[in-house]
């Protein structure tokens, strides 16, 4: 049984002092919510946080998630239904542990669940699992997506039907270890000392093949530029990409949003193509309680919503809870910063 505590109350929810925004799920810890509307219903694909008594470290060893639950609701503010375990790590032939932030997509009668997990060598890969139902259960493909690595897959289907996967996360998400093209375990955080004034590491993107099970091209860099058209630098930790990519399209423009990780901001950048380049625009949300901040943005019946998490229920960084609030823009499409 689940309870929904929040009421999202129109425009005032994000701009003025909001009424208290409560967790959407209170009987399990949930995080990294990827929200989608399928057939008029809202579905949330979050991580399922658990206590595994692993001490906190820069590699995210304290995030030892083992399965996914899918949630649905008929409307924002409506009852949240837990559809049970949709995929368990024990049923993913290639995966060993750490089922981190997932996403979902739909094509031709099939729902696809995309997820990162560490393989038996301790390397993060992206897996895919399929179901005829948006709530699963999902059946995992025997191998991870060829050419995939790192974490936080986000699959965006454009208005022309083409789908793109964005992925990546630095530090514990291992993106920096692929910087030279092959996996180098020694790189622990960003590019390392002495590289602060080089362009920051970017998220990656690839178009998906029609079957949505593999990449249709090698991964490309997602470039974020500053107001002068120069790539953001690795030292620009208040603006550079860290993890948790998301893509949405609004009024014909592509909005690439992400977390800055160690500076705990949700930011966005705008572009004219799903590949970018994207120009940095601003902060979507200031830091929440807990180290991580991770989000998705979705349109429901003509209004836009931000799904995110914080650590209100536990007070612990690795035991989080999913929330939702309205996303507000000005007349030019700029997103108003939320103070959670
Ligand atoms: O939930 C584990 C990791 O924490 C996610 O993959 C990151 O985005 C961060 O939220």
């Amino acid at each position: 049984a689940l309870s929904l505590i929040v009421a999202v109350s129109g425009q005032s929810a994000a701009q003025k002092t909001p009424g208290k925004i409560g967790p959407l799920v209170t009987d399990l810890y949930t995080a990294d919510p990827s929200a989608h509307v399928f057939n008029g219903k809202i579905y949330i694909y979050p991580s399922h946080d658990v206590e595994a008594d692993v001490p906190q470290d820069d590699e995210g060893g304290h995030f030892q998630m083992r399965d996914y639950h899918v949630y649905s609701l008929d409307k924002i503010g409506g009852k949240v239904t837990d559809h049970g375990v949709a995929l368990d790590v024990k049923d993913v032939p290639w995966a060993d542990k750490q089922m981190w932030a997932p996403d979902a997509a739909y094509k031709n009668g099939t729902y696809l669940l995309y997820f990162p997990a560490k393989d038996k060598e301790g390397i993060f890969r992206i897996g895919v699992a399929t179901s005829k139902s948006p709530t699963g259960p999902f059946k995992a493909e025997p191998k991870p997506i060829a050419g995939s690595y790192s974490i936080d897959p986000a699959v965006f289907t454009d208005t022309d039907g083409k789908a793109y996967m964005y992925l990546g996360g630095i530090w514990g998400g291992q993106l920096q270890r692929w910087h030279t093209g092959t996996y180098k375990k020694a790189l622990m955080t960003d590019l390392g000392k002495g590289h602060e004034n080089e362009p920051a590491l970017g998220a990656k993107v690839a178009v998906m093949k029609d079957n949505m099970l593999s990449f249709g091209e090698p991964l490309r860099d997602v470039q974020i530029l500053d107001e002068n058209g120069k790539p953001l630098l690795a030292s620009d930790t208040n603006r550079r990409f860290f993890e948790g990519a998301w893509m949405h399209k609004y009024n014909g423009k592509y909005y690439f949003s992400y977390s800055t990780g160690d500076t705990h901001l949700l930011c966005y950048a705008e572009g004219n193509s799903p590949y970018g380049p994207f120009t940095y625009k601003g902060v979507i949300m200031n830091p929440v309680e807990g180290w991580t901040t991770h989000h998705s943005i979705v349109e429901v019946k003509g209004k836009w919503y931000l799904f995110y998490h914080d650590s209100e229920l536990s007070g612990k960084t690795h035991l989080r809870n999913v929330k939702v609030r309205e996303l507000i823009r000005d007349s030019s499409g700029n997103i108003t910063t939320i103070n959670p």
Side-chain angles (χ1 to χ4, degrees), residues 228-241:
N228 301 312
K230 298 258 164 35
L232 296 184
L233 300 181
S235 57
D236 194 350
T237 54
N238 277 322
R239 300 195 294 177
R240 63 95 169 83
F241 169 80

Side-chain angles (χ1 to χ4, degrees), residues 90-111:
K90 71 175 169 32
D91 299 319
V92 183
W94 60 269
D96 184 32
K97 60 181 178 180
Q98 291 180 289
M99 304 281 268
W100 285 13
D103 192 19
Y106 168 81
K107 184 149 183 186
N108 294 343
T110 299
Y111 293 87

Side-chain angles (χ1 to χ4, degrees), residues 23 30 37 42 84-85 91 121 137 155 157 161 178 195-196 206 210 234 245 255 260 275-276 301 315 338:
T30 54
V37 176
I42 306 161
V85 176
D91 299 319
E121 274 79 54
V155 175
T157 303
W178 294 94
H195 297 270
E196 293 82 357
D210 278 349
Y255 287 73
T260 62
Y275 288 119
K301 297 199 166 84
I338 294 167

Side-chain angles (χ1 to χ4, degrees), residues 74-154:
D74 289 328
K75 57 176 187 188
I76 299 290
K79 179 176 176 288
V80 178
T81 302
D82 178 356
H83 295 275
V85 176
L87 181 68
D88 191 300
V89 68
K90 71 175 169 32
D91 299 319
V92 183
W94 60 269
D96 184 32
K97 60 181 178 180
Q98 291 180 289
M99 304 281 268
W100 285 13
D103 192 19
Y106 168 81
K107 184 149 183 186
N108 294 343
T110 299
Y111 293 87
L112 301 110
L113 180 71
Y114 299 95
F115 57 96
K118 277 188 183 159
D119 67 14
K120 317 247 156 111
E121 274 79 54
I123 299 176
F124 268 118
R125 305 281 181 186
I126 310 294
V128 55
T130 57
S131 174
K132 289 293 166 201
S133 161
T135 57
F138 289 87
K139 182 164 173 35
E141 292 292 296
K143 293 196 168 148
I145 294 177
S148 72
Y149 50 78
S150 198
I151 59 166
D152 292 0

Side-chain angles (χ1 to χ4, degrees), residues 4 72 76 84 132 138 157 212 261 297 309:
L4 173 79
S72 70
I76 299 290
K132 289 293 166 201
F138 289 87
T157 303
M212 300 288 277
I297 293 171
H309 68 232

